[in-house]
Amino acid sequence: MSTKSKTATGNGNASSNGTAVNGEWPTRARHLLVDLDGTLVRQQEAIDGAAALLAHFHDRYAIVSNNSTHTAQGLAKRLGRLGLRVPPGRIVLAGELAVRQLAQQHPGARVLLIGSPALQRFARAEGCDLVQESADFVLLALDMHFSHARLAVVANELLRGARLIATNADATHPGPQGRVVPETGALLAAVIAASGQQPWRVIGKPAPLLFEEGLRRLGAEPGSTVVVGDNPLTDAEGAARLGMACLLVGQTPGAVAPTVAGLFAAREEAPQYRLSESTSKVWRSVRTEVS
């Protein structure tokens, strides 16, 4: 799906799909799709304003995240410990969605899953046939214990003919005190270097699948939904693909506030954000287009 990128507008005018992203955006937006890491949380801490944002939208939001470590059930418990009460049904995760899609579209397929114990358990519960060799698919998620030996297994399975599905292509996500946390994309880079094989499919943002699932669960329309995130290459690009407005927070170019708390405190200055053409070209040069 192609995107005609637009530059950011700082005047708070309505977007091309009719959604106003200006000082009145919290009352004008009917639904919200919000990113997780770097937007609501940084590792084991909630970001300033996260609880207030979710409380304001109450039953009109969904979290849409490239997270491939947790399940929605497990993540809901983790968020609860941070003071963010989120029902599991409001959490859309790249790891879970990748497993579900693989189980539904390729029943009986042999799957080598590189991922957390939680995702492994979820995959078995969904009916996936998890194997260590002779796989039809390699599903690459975030594995905290990824090793040289594991890399060799994956590379040779791909060279033998298995197809590679990656939950996302993010190299890192934000951690506390300005640190970065290596993500699935860092593992993907090693797999590509070792095998010479590109992923057959990438599930996570900016591809539309997660956004579409979030909209479906909310019964929402793109034209009245705002995406809030911290990454122009995933959140803003993905929103633009589906015609949704996007507000970026954090330190990235185009961010309208340092944290989500600023979306309310300084919302009179909050502009709409769209990727510039140059930024979009950079994304296309480093991302695999999702079929």
Side-chain angles (χ1 to χ4, degrees), residues 220-282:
E221 296 294 331
S224 58
T225 301
V226 173
V227 173
V228 175
D230 71 316
N231 192 333
L233 300 181
T234 55
D235 301 313
E237 172 75 10
R241 288 183 176 201
L242 293 179
M244 293 184 290
C246 179
L247 292 175
L248 290 177
V249 296
Q251 304 303 314
T252 189
V256 301
T259 68
V260 288
L263 296 181
F264 292 93
R267 68 194 191 204
E268 289 301 324
E269 290 79 33
Q272 176 188 347
Y273 183 83
R274 297 289 191 189
L275 283 186
S276 66
E277 184 61 29
S278 61
T279 302
S280 185
K281 287 179 179 177
V282 169

Side-chain angles (χ1 to χ4, degrees), residues 208-222:
L209 190 61
L210 268 70
F211 293 105
E212 290 171 343
E213 178 62 16
L215 291 170
R216 185 191 69 78
R217 294 191 190 185
L218 292 173
E221 296 294 331

Side-chain angles (χ1 to χ4, degrees), residues 150-215:
R150 203 67 168 146
L151 176 60
V153 170
V154 170
N156 283 290
E157 284 297 302
L158 296 177
L159 290 171
R160 188 192 52 76
R163 288 183 282 189
L164 174 62
I165 299 175
T167 57
N168 67 82
D170 296 345
T172 64
H173 68 250
Q177 289 85 50
R179 297 174 180 150
V180 298
V181 179
E183 254 289 354
T184 309
L187 307 186
L188 178 60
V191 168
I192 293 172
S195 68
Q197 304 297 306
Q198 293 293 327
W200 178 65
R201 181 167 294 164
V202 179
I203 299 298
K205 299 180 293 184
L209 190 61
L210 268 70
F211 293 105
E212 290 171 343
E213 178 62 16
L215 291 170

